[in-house]
Amino acid sequence: MLEATVTVEEACWVATPDGELPVDIVLHKGGKRIAVCCRPANIESNSDQDALMLVYGGFDVLYRCSVDASSEAMLDVAYALMQAHPVWFSAFGRLSLGRRASAFMVGAALSAKDKQRRLCGPFGAIEALRLHVASDWVNAFERALRGGGRMSLSA
């Protein structure tokens, strides 16, 4: 389903000050890199660690997904990624995902604004941390470097 120039890595690790953190899938196209991290829908995300993975992994975008183990959930995640990065997918891939994604996800993607940070589907949510948008990750990154505590600013 991906464009021929896109390469895929599975089960990668990113070295951070918090230790090595897992990344489920890394997509490469030219000099761009997209990370996809999935977790069971009942486990909360840790945006501080996501920010560390984004920066130390050198990703352009990190997507965090809440999914169950169903193939429908994975198709919806792939469809959401395709909506955000259509040129990374072949024409056949875009058509196939459009036919196989849930009606809820297709409707949500059509009504969502371009480059929206959070997209919800019947399986949960897909959240994006974009390196070029500081408000997505800087505060979480600074919290992670401080160990989660607040530090007073000094001159």
Side-chain angles (χ1 to χ4, degrees), residues 3-4 39 49 51 58 67 83 88 106-107 120 130 134 141 150:
E3 188 66 36
R39 66 178 183 279
Q49 286 189 339
V67 295
Q83 287 294 313
W88 289 57
V106 172
C120 294
R130 302 159 294 183
F141 182 75
R150 290 191 67 100

Side-chain angles (χ1 to χ4, degrees), residues 72-144:
E72 292 83 13
M74 295 313 296
L75 284 169
D76 281 353
V77 168
Y79 180 80
L81 289 173
M82 185 269 299
Q83 287 294 313
H85 306 279
V87 297
W88 289 57
F89 291 80
S90 68
F92 171 77
R94 292 189 300 269
L95 180 63
S96 179
L97 285 171
R99 289 180 174 163
R100 297 175 68 193
S102 70
F104 182 91
M105 180 53 81
V106 172
L110 290 175
S111 65
K113 294 181 180 173
D114 261 358
K115 309 297 180 189
Q116 186 175 345
R117 185 167 181 258
R118 182 178 172 94
L119 181 62
C120 294
F123 55 84
I126 299 172
E127 298 175 54
L129 295 180
R130 302 159 294 183
L131 191 60
H132 69 281
V133 181
S135 61
D136 281 3
W137 62 272
V138 169
N139 289 335
F141 182 75
E142 290 175 345
R143 268 193 317 271

Side-chain angles (χ1 to χ4, degrees), residues 22-86:
V23 178
D24 295 310
I25 298 170
V26 178
L27 302 175
H28 301 265
K29 182 177 180 174
K32 303 268 186 200
R33 294 174 39 152
I34 296 174
V36 180
C37 301
C38 296
R39 66 178 183 279
N42 61 339
I43 296 176
E44 301 246 350
S45 70
N46 184 337
S47 63
D48 294 354
Q49 286 189 339
D50 289 351
L52 288 175
M53 282 192 290
L54 176 73
V55 174
Y56 284 96
F59 303 116
D60 295 285
V61 183
L62 182 136
Y63 290 98
R64 171 66 70 180
C65 310
S66 300
V67 295
D68 57 27
S70 70
S71 61
E72 292 83 13
M74 295 313 296
L75 284 169
D76 281 353
V77 168
Y79 180 80
L81 289 173
M82 185 269 299
Q83 287 294 313
H85 306 279

